[in-house]
Amino acid sequence: MTEINNGPEALKGEDWAGEMGAKWLANLACFEGMIAPIGEALLKQADFKPGERVLDIGCGGGGTTIAIAKAVAPSGEVVGIDISPDLTTASMRRAKDAGVTNIGFICADGATVQLDDAPFDRLFSRFGSMFFPEPHKAFANLHSLLRPGARIDLAVWGPPRDNLWMMEMMGVVRRYVDIPPAVPRAPGPFAFEDLGYLNEILASGGFSEASVVAYNGLQPIGGVNATPHDAVSFVLSSMAVGRALEEQGADVRAAAETDLVELFQRHYVAGQGVMMQGKAWLVSAAAER
């Protein structure tokens, strides 16, 4: 399958096209290990079949894209789309190294991308659909890339209060830095915590028959078998809170690091890692005819 790269020129204003994409790539194994249980649950729910043509939106490092390619082989194909040129370039190499050929990657914004080989049979996104500045327009665009009746499967984070991995971590950080809470419905990790809002977005974009399964489980912060110190290094090097603490000076960062180690020690399970509660919505819907 042809690999296409539209280039990052139109995306320079987007953080995920720059710093955040680079950080995700630098910490790829840790990120993927942390959200792997949710990704596996979504892949199981999607139940891809040989011969299907699939879009993977916000594909990150390409791990889910490669898994989908294997599921739809030999006659099916998958295209991973991500706004980060660093991630799409790395994903191309990763797929090549894995010997997967029914796959391609595009560096583009899923909210506006147009594809010559549309329409596709399926759309999949593991935490890649919550950051659109204009979600109504974005989902309408995604609908335009799909055949009538095509199924979409999305994983989005549930409410912050049910994601203790984030809430407890932010509770520590806020001892040292004034970080405002997430704005409901604003682009970001918890944009679709409100299922009523998510259903309205889907309906306005041309999707119906929406169903939601709640995923609840423990997540390994910093990846499987990460120690508390490993988990702290991951958080401070890969998440925005690391920069916020850095700006407060070395003493503040050191104090926060000590408190984070103590937090993660309370959740450490030998042979598993720092295991903290997370909740996600696994969403399915169909593109209206």
Side-chain angles (χ1 to χ4, degrees):
M1 182 175 181
T2 303
E3 294 174 347
I4 308 169
N5 194 321
N6 290 343
E9 290 303 313
L11 314 175
K12 286 184 177 178
E14 301 289 339
D15 186 49
W16 280 101
E19 180 185 11
M20 288 306 297
K23 285 186 174 182
W24 187 280
L25 179 58
N27 295 274
L28 184 60
C30 296
F31 271 121
E32 289 195 339
M34 177 174 159
I35 61 177
I38 300 172
E40 290 166 2
L42 186 64
L43 285 166
K44 182 178 180 180
Q45 174 175 293
D47 191 25
F48 291 107
K49 304 296 185 184
E52 292 181 316
R53 300 180 68 241
V54 186
L55 291 175
D56 187 1
I57 301 296
C59 63
T64 54
T65 323
I66 291 171
I68 295 168
K70 292 178 179 179
V72 301
S75 56
E77 62 181 4
V78 59
V79 175
I81 297 176
D82 201 280
I83 200 168
S84 167
D86 295 317
L87 288 169
T88 50
T89 299
S91 295
M92 291 176 190
R93 291 195 301 266
R94 187 178 184 185
K96 183 177 180 180
D97 291 344
V100 178
T101 57
N102 60 329
I103 194 168
F105 293 93
I106 298 175
C107 177
D109 187 342
T112 57
V113 65
Q114 294 294 297
L115 303 173
D116 292 339
D117 51 352
F120 285 76
D121 303 314
R122 304 284 301 273
L123 184 144
F124 179 94
S125 183
R126 179 194 62 181
F127 299 129
S129 64
M130 305 98 68
F131 299 91
F132 296 128
E134 297 181 274
H136 294 84
K137 292 182 179 179
F139 274 87
N141 185 64
L142 295 177
H143 181 277
S144 74
L145 304 176
L146 302 172
R147 65 168 177 77
R151 173 175 165 177
I152 66 171
D153 289 277
L154 315 174
V156 300
W157 291 113
R161 65 180 178 273
D162 296 325
N163 279 282
L164 298 183
W165 69 271
M166 174 64 78
M167 295 303 291
E168 292 191 25
M169 180 181 70
M170 293 304 296
V172 170
V173 173
R174 287 192 174 106
R175 298 174 194 169
Y176 302 95
V177 186
D178 183 16
I179 298 179
V183 177
R185 303 188 176 187
F190 300 105
F192 296 145
E193 60 170 296
D194 179 350
L195 290 177
Y197 176 59
L198 175 57
N199 283 327
E200 188 266 317
I201 293 288
L202 290 172
S204 71
F207 296 96
S208 61
E209 303 175 26
S211 63
V212 179
V213 175
Y215 172 93
N216 291 280
L218 297 176
Q219 294 176 236
I221 309 303
V224 177
N225 285 329
T227 68
H229 284 89
D230 292 336
V232 171
S233 295
F234 164 71
V235 167
L236 296 183
S237 65
S238 65
M239 298 185 180
V241 295
R243 177 196 282 179
L245 289 170
E246 194 75 41
E247 292 172 351
Q248 303 303 309
D251 290 345
V252 169
R253 178 185 167 98
E257 186 171 348
T258 297
D259 287 355
L260 285 170
V261 170
E262 292 178 357
L263 167 65
F264 291 155
Q265 283 175 335
R266 295 198 296 273
H267 294 277
Y268 179 71
V269 179
Q272 298 183 49
V274 178
M275 307 299 292
M276 299 185 72
Q277 183 66 41
K279 181 171 187 173
W281 305 125
L282 307 183
V283 184
S284 294
E288 294 177 345
R289 290 172 169 79

